[in-house]
Amino acid sequence: MRIVPILLTLAGFAAAQTTITLGGDTTPAIRPLLGINNGPQPSGDGTVDFTTRFQDAGVNMIRMHDYNGPMDMTLIYPDQNADPSKDSSYNWTQSDVTWKRVLDGGFEPYIRIGYSNNVRPVTNQTNWAAAAVAIVRRYTDATRWGRNAVRYVEIYNEPDSRTFWTGTNAEFSTLYIATAKGLKSAFPSLKIGGCGFTGTQYDPLPNVAQGQFLRPFLAAISAAGAPLDFFSWHTYTNNPQDLATGAQYFRSQLQAYGYGNVESILSEWNTDFEGPNGGDAALRTGARGSSILAASWIVLQGTDVVYSMLYRSSDPSANLPTFYGLWYTDGRPKPAALAQTLFSQMSKYTTRVSATTSGAALTVLAGRNANGERAVLIANTGTTAGSWTLNGTTGSGSVYKMQEISGSATSIVSSTLGSLSASIPAYGVQLVTISSGPSAVISAIAGAGGSVPAVASISPNGYFTIYGSGFAPAGT
């Protein structure tokens, strides 16, 4: 059974009073969908290493894409007629540096075989497929890197876009079949798949038939018995519900061609590009974008997507501040990067808790951790501020804390709530946590048979001083 996330607010909707009621545990579990494209090395004209920023934001997986050189076939294997069995046919230096930064930061690398925006036509499919095997062999070599951190290998990027593939549909299917079979034969334990299909497959452009590239591809690889351990896709949208639509559409197509049980991976996603002259500043550098991303992340939790990777780490140039980067090139976070941090914190409350809303619509996700503490992520994608009240989670001595992103924030604002109700600004994102305070801890000790002394004082941060005797479990 698929659990559909709570009703989402469409852009422009006025969020007034909302009542959020929490219930019992439900499914699916909350997943750490915290991957990213590119990084942590400096990007474009930037000089900042993003390792610490990624770690602080909870990034757990990096798609090895969009370096425009490192990890691209253009750089690694520039001459497709060179003998792919000879190491002299490869240029490893820059890609090795990029790879080591990822491993040193403790991130899981997700290999993408193919190109960034430096695409070259595949003129020798046999050699290209053999080169893919050589690349994976190098970067899974535990003796070279100290460990093998690779689980996923994605073949190509957006073949249904003429930006990345200029050949025919049939030619691409042939390339995938050869490459996937070669990789699976050499590395049977790795998950081999692809191919980063675009959202135009389920939301077609004018005069483009739905699935016109995808369906022939699936038919061809199924007929050839080619491995497809996971299916990857991309979407850029300002309507969070599109992510659920895409996940459902691609699952239906996979089922139709015998691949119904493969994993679904969203290997690129972000808000859509709006506005002239580089894009909409409110969307890229303001809270509107972070609220849409937060609502979208919540929607993803109700789909079958197992991993997702936001596009991308930072802008490629200081002159492009309204690009897709979560950070500016100088390392400053955009509100989108702050939202990623809240996603990371929310993902620690892995057991999903049911939540219903009444009144004006907000996008809401609730969960609890192993200690029974609860957290609620709330997104307002509307243009008007509102307020909410949270029911079903009060307890004696509980502490209510809130973290918030709004406006063009460069940091998360934290506060302690006196009750489970608050206002939420237009395009606001809030993470509310409910934890046990000192009185609740003492009550729990007493309930377990402890002998509880008096409390002398409680500090603002929750530490308490006790006096008296017998502060020990009965019978000891």
Side-chain angles (χ1 to χ4, degrees):
M1 177 180 176
R2 175 168 293 158
I3 304 299
V4 178
I6 293 173
L7 182 65
L8 58 106
T9 305
L10 297 179
F13 189 92
Q17 174 64 38
T18 302
T19 299
I20 305 166
T21 302
L22 303 189
D25 296 350
T26 187
T27 56
I30 294 174
R31 302 180 300 286
L33 305 176
L34 302 170
I36 202 166
N37 279 261
N38 190 267
Q41 69 184 43
S43 178
D45 58 19
T47 58
V48 174
D49 182 279
F50 286 87
T51 298
T52 301
R53 290 166 176 81
F54 280 13
Q55 292 167 342
D56 292 344
V59 172
N60 58 6
M61 178 180 280
I62 297 177
R63 182 175 183 242
M64 309 299 290
H65 174 67
D66 216 37
Y67 297 103
N68 290 305
M71 303 308 299
D72 293 337
M73 277 284 196
T74 309
L75 177 66
I76 294 179
Y77 184 63
D79 180 2
Q80 294 181 35
N81 291 320
D83 186 345
S85 67
K86 294 183 177 179
D87 193 64
S88 59
S89 299
Y90 300 91
N91 179 3
W92 301 112
T93 304
Q94 293 183 46
S95 297
D96 284 357
V97 171
T98 298
W99 188 262
K100 188 173 186 302
R101 283 181 188 258
V102 171
L103 295 187
D104 287 350
F107 311 110
E108 178 178 353
Y110 173 98
I111 293 180
R112 186 274 295 128
I113 300 292
Y115 305 93
S116 299
N117 256 338
N118 49 11
V119 179
R120 290 182 181 175
V122 178
T123 56
N124 189 325
Q125 291 203 1
T126 300
N127 283 1
W128 198 96
V133 172
I135 291 169
V136 175
R137 180 172 289 114
R138 184 177 185 88
Y139 293 115
T140 56
D141 183 354
T143 60
R144 182 184 299 275
W145 305 107
R147 61 190 176 101
N148 175 14
V150 178
R151 291 188 298 150
Y152 291 88
V153 179
E154 180 186 62
I155 299 172
Y156 222 78
N157 177 73
E158 298 188 357
D160 53 334
S161 167
R162 301 302 288 179
T163 300
F164 292 96
W165 180 259
T166 57
T168 67
N169 294 20
E171 287 170 340
F172 180 76
S173 297
T174 301
L175 177 66
Y176 178 88
I177 291 166
T179 307
K181 286 186 173 182
L183 287 169
K184 200 65 176 179
S185 176
F187 312 101
S189 64
L190 293 184
K191 293 185 178 181
I192 310 300
C195 302
F197 285 92
T198 70
T200 61
Q201 296 303 310
Y202 69 89
D203 186 17
L205 298 172
N207 303 316
V208 176
Q210 187 181 58
Q212 70 168 9
F213 196 107
L214 174 64
R215 291 168 183 162
F217 168 77
L218 292 175
I221 68 170
S222 178
L228 184 73
D229 298 320
F230 67 91
F231 177 85
S232 59
W233 54 286
H234 300 166
T235 195
Y236 292 83
T237 180
N238 297 331
N239 180 0
Q241 193 60 39
D242 283 348
L243 282 82
T245 300
Q248 291 164 2
Y249 171 78
F250 286 122
R251 178 58 60 195
S252 70
Q253 298 305 299
L254 291 166
Q255 289 171 340
Y257 291 94
Y259 292 106
N261 294 325
V262 307
E263 294 179 337
S264 176
I265 295 179
L266 184 60
S267 61
E268 279 188 28
W269 68 286
N270 205 320
T271 50
D272 201 3
F273 199 85
E274 287 185 358
N277 302 321
D280 178 9
L283 185 64
R284 295 289 180 218
T285 66
R288 182 182 171 218
S290 59
S291 70
I292 293 172
L293 291 180
S296 299
W297 192 82
I298 292 172
V299 168
L300 278 175
Q301 294 293 338
T303 71
D304 61 4
V305 169
V306 294
Y307 295 103
S308 73
M309 297 120 200
L310 273 163
Y311 180 87
R312 48 172 259 165
S313 58
S314 66
D315 298 324
S317 170
N319 296 321
L320 293 172
T322 55
F323 197 68
Y324 295 93
L326 274 65
W327 285 266
Y328 297 101
T329 55
D330 61 6
R332 288 176 296 132
K334 299 179 185 179
L338 305 180
Q340 168 85 7
T341 301
L342 295 189
F343 303 163
S344 172
Q345 294 182 33
M346 183 69 211
S347 67
K348 297 174 183 176
Y349 296 79
T350 55
T351 300
R352 189 163 180 164
V353 173
S354 68
T356 57
T357 61
S358 62
L362 296 172
T363 314
V364 179
L365 177 69
R368 68 170 179 85
N369 61 19
N371 296 324
E373 298 171 330
R374 295 188 174 191
V376 184
L377 182 64
I378 306 169
N380 176 15
T381 59
T383 59
T384 304
S387 61
W388 53 262
T389 298
L390 187 61
N391 295 330
T393 188
T394 56
S396 175
S398 293
V399 176
Y400 316 131
K401 294 187 177 181
M402 184 172 75
Q403 298 178 78
E404 180 177 88
I405 306 167
S406 62
S408 297
T410 57
S411 62
I412 297 170
V413 177
S414 300
S415 61
T416 300
L417 301 176
S419 64
L420 284 174
S421 60
S423 61
I424 184 167
Y427 304 141
V429 180
Q430 297 173 336
L431 177 64
V432 179
T433 56
I434 302 100
S435 59
S436 299
S439 60
V441 172
I442 294 171
S443 296
I445 294 172
S451 176
V452 183
V455 177
S457 63
I458 300 177
S459 70
N461 59 7
Y463 294 106
F464 54 92
T465 304
I466 60 176
Y467 67 88
S469 62
F471 190 54
T476 59

